Amino acid sequence: MSEPKKLYIKTYGCQMNVYDSERMAETLGGQGYVETKSPDDADMILLNTCHIREKAAEKIYSELGRFKGLKTEKPDLKIGVAGCVAQAEGEEIMRRQPIVDLVVGPQSYHRLPEMEAKTRTGAKALDTDFPEEDKFEKLKNRPKAKRGPTAFLTVQEGCDKFCAFCVVPYTRGAEVSRPADRILREANDLVERGVREITLLGQNVNAYHGAGPNGDMTLAGLIWELNKVDGLERIRFTTSHPNDMADDLIEAHGTCDKLMPYLHLPVQSGSDRILKRMNRSHTAESYLRLIERIRAARPDIVMSGDFIVGFPEETEEDFQATMDLVEEVKYGYAYSFKYSTRPGTPAAERSQVDPKAADDRLQRLQGLITRHQREIQDAMVGRDVKVLFEKPGRLPGQMVGKSEYLHSVHVSDADVAVGELRDVRIMSSGANSLAGALR
Ligand code: SAM
Ligand code: SF4
């Protein structure tokens, strides 16, 4: 039998890319590839890229530069670029970096086997189509091998919202939801392979409206179906848009036992003037009222969010409105970014904020978020939480898992297996994690 070829995939960006990388590796498995952790012994290197901010995209070119030497040593090595940079820049990547053999967009990676075969003939392969066919149906069935207790599952892709700063509608295309039966089949397969927690993914996951047995199903409808899957213990979903937070989804947070009390609900800014300029179509007030309703349904829910500071024309007063909103919500987690100009998006043409002012605002916002994050984490001390154990810790006998609120929890001398769900009493709170003891 011939030696398996080795595939090195490096993933950048969001969880959807993590999921896509898994699926790409699986489909190339059909071409005789097995994954390797090092680019040095690879026959194919695939960078699954992110285009959301300029820095993320530029990183790809410097990473490709580092592979030049390898390619000279091993001319048969194939180098591919997948994901959103591939979609946005297409052929330009091959022009800028001639060592690249293959460029594949996020909607056409089911065609990777043919593309890989083409590169073996010495030709270059490029596919950045938005094909009609359902990529997930064309992909190979998922392998049956055992896997870890948590998994991502993409249920919705693309976005029709066109926020003025964002490339996603251009790189991922229009909003599409996968049919419910296919998602349920995939979820059942994952559970058979040892998965206990599934995070449903979508750029606008709560806009999900996939075909169900009685017409389109909402995300809440899908969650209720998943709630019936034996062996599945936890359901999460990300990322949601405030405008798509439907009543049935809010209610599910109070009534669906497997749906975890954690919600990522990006607001981007606390200033109505900026929100309007961002084309977000919600106000700070409507967002705060929404959170009130969510907390009424599930009082202990931990909120998470995304923020952009230094969006064009943002004044100190606008920024203060963001700080006020953060002070009111008190996020358990939040991701904040300095605005990054993305060519082709409406905001790119507008007058930019002084970068120093933007840096200063980002620092102040992150300081406030970190303080709240720490307060919420510290308030867990003395409480009992349920922990899904994911892996051994760094110390002998230690195990690490996640609480229902997504906090990392370490337990020393833990007589538990990976994949077990156990009650833990939280004893102390550290910089980024909690420590506890089994009950
Ligand atoms: N669909 C999600 C939503 O509407 O909140 C967000 C998806 S986007 C991949 C993740 C985050 O990246 C956004 O919430 C936003 O905060 C950030 N982001 C997007 N474009 C950006 C830009 N041009 N500059 C800085 N941050 C950006
Ligand atoms: Fe981008 Fe999210 Fe806005 Fe869509 S809703 S354009 S993914 S920030």
Side-chain angles (χ1 to χ4, degrees), residues 330-354:
K330 295 195 171 43
Y331 292 90
Y333 308 81
Y335 308 89
S336 44
F337 313 98
K338 192 164 87 160
Y339 169 71
S340 170
T341 309
R342 306 316 290 127
T345 59
E349 308 300 322
R350 301 186 193 154
S351 98
Q352 306 293 315
V353 167
D354 168 34

mmCIF file of all heavy atoms in Angstrom, residues 330-354:
data_model
loop_
_atom_site.group_PDB
_atom_site.id
_atom_site.type_symbol
_atom_site.label_atom_id
_atom_site.label_comp_id
_atom_site.label_asym_id
_atom_site.label_seq_id
_atom_site.Cartn_x
_atom_site.Cartn_y
_atom_site.Cartn_z
ATOM 1 N N LYS A 330 -23.094 44.521 31.459
ATOM 2 C CA LYS A 330 -22.091 43.710 32.173
ATOM 3 C C LYS A 330 -21.944 42.351 31.490
ATOM 4 O O LYS A 330 -22.598 41.372 31.841
ATOM 5 C CB LYS A 330 -22.435 43.558 33.653
ATOM 6 C CG LYS A 330 -22.378 44.877 34.387
ATOM 7 C CD LYS A 330 -22.360 44.683 35.887
ATOM 8 C CE LYS A 330 -22.091 45.968 36.638
ATOM 9 N NZ LYS A 330 -22.776 47.164 36.191
ATOM 10 N N TYR A 331 -21.031 42.326 30.513
ATOM 11 C CA TYR A 331 -20.799 41.105 29.742
ATOM 12 C C TYR A 331 -19.867 40.149 30.484
ATOM 13 O O TYR A 331 -18.877 40.568 31.079
ATOM 14 C CB TYR A 331 -20.144 41.458 28.397
ATOM 15 C CG TYR A 331 -21.061 42.211 27.460
ATOM 16 C CD1 TYR A 331 -21.114 43.596 27.468
ATOM 17 C CD2 TYR A 331 -21.873 41.523 26.565
ATOM 18 C CE1 TYR A 331 -21.947 44.295 26.613
ATOM 19 C CE2 TYR A 331 -22.714 42.210 25.701
ATOM 20 C CZ TYR A 331 -22.742 43.594 25.733
ATOM 21 O OH TYR A 331 -23.575 44.257 24.884
ATOM 22 N N GLY A 332 -20.189 38.867 30.377
ATOM 23 C CA GLY A 332 -19.300 37.833 30.924
ATOM 24 C C GLY A 332 -18.099 37.632 30.007
ATOM 25 O O GLY A 332 -17.037 37.169 30.432
ATOM 26 N N TYR A 333 -18.285 37.924 28.745
ATOM 27 C CA TYR A 333 -17.225 37.862 27.735
ATOM 28 C C TYR A 333 -17.555 38.940 26.719
ATOM 29 O O TYR A 333 -18.722 39.214 26.487
ATOM 30 C CB TYR A 333 -17.235 36.538 26.948
ATOM 31 C CG TYR A 333 -17.237 35.318 27.810
ATOM 32 C CD1 TYR A 333 -18.421 34.852 28.380
ATOM 33 C CD2 TYR A 333 -16.060 34.626 28.045
ATOM 34 C CE1 TYR A 333 -18.426 33.725 29.181
ATOM 35 C CE2 TYR A 333 -16.056 33.502 28.851
ATOM 36 C CZ TYR A 333 -17.250 33.055 29.414
ATOM 37 O OH TYR A 333 -17.248 31.958 30.206
ATOM 38 N N ALA A 334 -16.546 39.528 26.095
ATOM 39 C CA ALA A 334 -16.843 40.408 24.963
ATOM 40 C C ALA A 334 -15.580 40.584 24.147
ATOM 41 O O ALA A 334 -14.468 40.564 24.676
ATOM 42 C CB ALA A 334 -17.364 41.757 25.433
ATOM 43 N N TYR A 335 -15.777 40.709 22.871
ATOM 44 C CA TYR A 335 -14.661 40.838 21.936
ATOM 45 C C TYR A 335 -14.735 42.228 21.340
ATOM 46 O O TYR A 335 -15.777 42.631 20.815
ATOM 47 C CB TYR A 335 -14.762 39.755 20.851
ATOM 48 C CG TYR A 335 -14.903 38.405 21.480
ATOM 49 C CD1 TYR A 335 -16.164 37.885 21.799
ATOM 50 C CD2 TYR A 335 -13.772 37.682 21.846
ATOM 51 C CE1 TYR A 335 -16.293 36.667 22.442
ATOM 52 C CE2 TYR A 335 -13.886 36.466 22.494
ATOM 53 C CZ TYR A 335 -15.150 35.960 22.792
ATOM 54 O OH TYR A 335 -15.272 34.768 23.440
ATOM 55 N N SER A 336 -13.634 42.986 21.469
ATOM 56 C CA SER A 336 -13.670 44.357 20.962
ATOM 57 C C SER A 336 -12.517 44.566 19.995
ATOM 58 O O SER A 336 -11.408 44.059 20.210
ATOM 59 C CB SER A 336 -13.610 45.350 22.114
ATOM 60 O OG SER A 336 -12.639 44.950 23.036
ATOM 61 N N PHE A 337 -12.818 45.262 18.930
ATOM 62 C CA PHE A 337 -11.858 45.438 17.851
ATOM 63 C C PHE A 337 -11.776 46.900 17.469
ATOM 64 O O PHE A 337 -12.778 47.616 17.518
ATOM 65 C CB PHE A 337 -12.307 44.664 16.602
ATOM 66 C CG PHE A 337 -12.743 43.256 16.895
ATOM 67 C CD1 PHE A 337 -14.100 42.944 17.038
ATOM 68 C CD2 PHE A 337 -11.810 42.241 17.045
ATOM 69 C CE1 PHE A 337 -14.511 41.643 17.318
ATOM 70 C CE2 PHE A 337 -12.207 40.944 17.324
ATOM 71 C CZ PHE A 337 -13.562 40.638 17.459
ATOM 72 N N LYS A 338 -10.580 47.294 17.025
ATOM 73 C CA LYS A 338 -10.446 48.621 16.433
ATOM 74 C C LYS A 338 -10.943 48.505 15.003
ATOM 75 O O LYS A 338 -10.638 47.515 14.317
ATOM 76 C CB LYS A 338 -8.965 49.018 16.464
ATOM 77 C CG LYS A 338 -8.747 50.460 16.154
ATOM 78 C CD LYS A 338 -7.364 50.886 16.580
ATOM 79 C CE LYS A 338 -6.351 50.634 15.483
ATOM 80 N NZ LYS A 338 -5.130 51.416 15.619
ATOM 81 N N TYR A 339 -11.707 49.489 14.562
ATOM 82 C CA TYR A 339 -12.247 49.451 13.208
ATOM 83 C C TYR A 339 -11.118 49.268 12.197
ATOM 84 O O TYR A 339 -10.079 49.932 12.264
ATOM 85 C CB TYR A 339 -13.033 50.735 12.886
ATOM 86 C CG TYR A 339 -13.376 50.826 11.419
ATOM 87 C CD1 TYR A 339 -14.325 49.980 10.873
ATOM 88 C CD2 TYR A 339 -12.716 51.716 10.579
ATOM 89 C CE1 TYR A 339 -14.624 50.020 9.517
ATOM 90 C CE2 TYR A 339 -13.002 51.768 9.226
ATOM 91 C CZ TYR A 339 -13.953 50.911 8.699
ATOM 92 O OH TYR A 339 -14.230 50.937 7.361
ATOM 93 N N SER A 340 -11.326 48.375 11.255
ATOM 94 C CA SER A 340 -10.333 48.115 10.214
ATOM 95 C C SER A 340 -11.007 48.347 8.855
ATOM 96 O O SER A 340 -12.068 47.781 8.590
ATOM 97 C CB SER A 340 -9.872 46.659 10.369
ATOM 98 O OG SER A 340 -9.103 46.254 9.279
ATOM 99 N N THR A 341 -10.386 49.196 8.050
ATOM 100 C CA THR A 341 -10.988 49.543 6.755
ATOM 101 C C THR A 341 -10.983 48.328 5.832
ATOM 102 O O THR A 341 -9.929 47.737 5.611
ATOM 103 C CB THR A 341 -10.147 50.653 6.082
ATOM 104 O OG1 THR A 341 -9.998 51.677 7.042
ATOM 105 C CG2 THR A 341 -10.818 51.183 4.841
ATOM 106 N N ARG A 342 -12.117 47.973 5.304
ATOM 107 C CA ARG A 342 -12.196 46.855 4.366
ATOM 108 C C ARG A 342 -12.598 47.380 3.001
ATOM 109 O O ARG A 342 -13.738 47.871 2.826
ATOM 110 C CB ARG A 342 -13.195 45.783 4.839
ATOM 111 C CG ARG A 342 -12.998 45.227 6.228
ATOM 112 C CD ARG A 342 -11.562 44.883 6.593
ATOM 113 N NE ARG A 342 -10.986 43.745 5.903
ATOM 114 C CZ ARG A 342 -9.825 43.758 5.241
ATOM 115 N NH1 ARG A 342 -9.112 44.864 5.144
ATOM 116 N NH2 ARG A 342 -9.358 42.683 4.667
ATOM 117 N N PRO A 343 -11.696 47.288 2.038
ATOM 118 C CA PRO A 343 -12.007 47.816 0.712
ATOM 119 C C PRO A 343 -13.302 47.210 0.169
ATOM 120 O O PRO A 343 -13.563 46.019 0.355
ATOM 121 C CB PRO A 343 -10.810 47.353 -0.131
ATOM 122 C CG PRO A 343 -9.724 47.053 0.846
ATOM 123 C CD PRO A 343 -10.381 46.647 2.114
ATOM 124 N N GLY A 344 -14.113 48.067 -0.445
ATOM 125 C CA GLY A 344 -15.360 47.579 -1.049
ATOM 126 C C GLY A 344 -16.563 47.684 -0.136
ATOM 127 O O GLY A 344 -17.705 47.510 -0.564
ATOM 128 N N THR A 345 -16.326 47.971 1.167
ATOM 129 C CA THR A 345 -17.466 48.136 2.077
ATOM 130 C C THR A 345 -17.795 49.637 2.174
ATOM 131 O O THR A 345 -16.894 50.470 2.015
ATOM 132 C CB THR A 345 -17.139 47.588 3.489
ATOM 133 O OG1 THR A 345 -15.999 48.294 3.992
ATOM 134 C CG2 THR A 345 -16.839 46.103 3.461
ATOM 135 N N PRO A 346 -19.056 49.996 2.436
ATOM 136 C CA PRO A 346 -19.424 51.416 2.431
ATOM 137 C C PRO A 346 -18.608 52.290 3.385
ATOM 138 O O PRO A 346 -18.263 53.420 3.045
ATOM 139 C CB PRO A 346 -20.899 51.404 2.851
ATOM 140 C CG PRO A 346 -21.383 50.032 2.542
ATOM 141 C CD PRO A 346 -20.198 49.109 2.660
ATOM 142 N N ALA A 347 -18.261 51.770 4.561
ATOM 143 C CA ALA A 347 -17.573 52.610 5.551
ATOM 144 C C ALA A 347 -16.144 52.950 5.138
ATOM 145 O O ALA A 347 -15.544 53.893 5.666
ATOM 146 C CB ALA A 347 -17.573 51.916 6.911
ATOM 147 N N ALA A 348 -15.586 52.194 4.197
ATOM 148 C CA ALA A 348 -14.192 52.404 3.797
ATOM 149 C C ALA A 348 -13.985 53.788 3.198
ATOM 150 O O ALA A 348 -12.886 54.342 3.252
ATOM 151 C CB ALA A 348 -13.781 51.322 2.794
ATOM 152 N N GLU A 349 -15.055 54.363 2.645
ATOM 153 C CA GLU A 349 -14.952 55.664 1.967
ATOM 154 C C GLU A 349 -15.081 56.844 2.937
ATOM 155 O O GLU A 349 -14.922 57.976 2.543
ATOM 156 C CB GLU A 349 -16.082 55.809 0.923
ATOM 157 C CG GLU A 349 -16.194 54.649 -0.072
ATOM 158 C CD GLU A 349 -14.917 54.472 -0.874
ATOM 159 O OE1 GLU A 349 -14.320 55.506 -1.220
ATOM 160 O OE2 GLU A 349 -14.512 53.322 -1.112
ATOM 161 N N ARG A 350 -15.420 56.556 4.197
ATOM 162 C CA ARG A 350 -15.757 57.662 5.113
ATOM 163 C C ARG A 350 -14.545 58.163 5.886
ATOM 164 O O ARG A 350 -13.521 57.509 5.915
ATOM 165 C CB ARG A 350 -16.828 57.173 6.090
ATOM 166 C CG ARG A 350 -18.062 56.706 5.342
ATOM 167 C CD ARG A 350 -19.143 56.367 6.318
ATOM 168 N NE ARG A 350 -20.210 55.638 5.626
ATOM 169 C CZ ARG A 350 -21.044 54.791 6.219
ATOM 170 N NH1 ARG A 350 -20.943 54.577 7.516
ATOM 171 N NH2 ARG A 350 -21.972 54.179 5.527
ATOM 172 N N SER A 351 -14.760 59.298 6.560
ATOM 173 C CA SER A 351 -13.605 59.910 7.217
ATOM 174 C C SER A 351 -13.238 59.110 8.475
ATOM 175 O O SER A 351 -14.075 58.807 9.331
ATOM 176 C CB SER A 351 -13.883 61.387 7.497
ATOM 177 O OG SER A 351 -14.303 61.570 8.795
ATOM 178 N N GLN A 352 -11.965 58.753 8.537
ATOM 179 C CA GLN A 352 -11.487 57.822 9.551
ATOM 180 C C GLN A 352 -11.131 58.533 10.854
ATOM 181 O O GLN A 352 -10.716 59.690 10.850
ATOM 182 C CB GLN A 352 -10.272 57.063 9.010
ATOM 183 C CG GLN A 352 -10.514 56.365 7.666
ATOM 184 C CD GLN A 352 -11.502 55.210 7.757
ATOM 185 O OE1 GLN A 352 -11.426 54.400 8.668
ATOM 186 N NE2 GLN A 352 -12.445 55.151 6.831
ATOM 187 N N VAL A 353 -11.274 57.811 11.941
ATOM 188 C CA VAL A 353 -10.926 58.340 13.271
ATOM 189 C C VAL A 353 -9.400 58.280 13.434
ATOM 190 O O VAL A 353 -8.763 57.339 12.943
ATOM 191 C CB VAL A 353 -11.635 57.472 14.336
ATOM 192 C CG1 VAL A 353 -11.104 57.732 15.739
ATOM 193 C CG2 VAL A 353 -13.133 57.684 14.278
ATOM 194 N N ASP A 354 -8.853 59.259 14.141
ATOM 195 C CA ASP A 354 -7.422 59.262 14.421
ATOM 196 C C ASP A 354 -7.044 57.931 15.109
ATOM 197 O O ASP A 354 -7.636 57.571 16.139
ATOM 198 C CB ASP A 354 -7.126 60.465 15.341
ATOM 199 C CG ASP A 354 -5.736 60.403 15.930
ATOM 200 O OD1 ASP A 354 -4.824 59.908 15.232
ATOM 201 O OD2 ASP A 354 -5.570 60.842 17.083
#
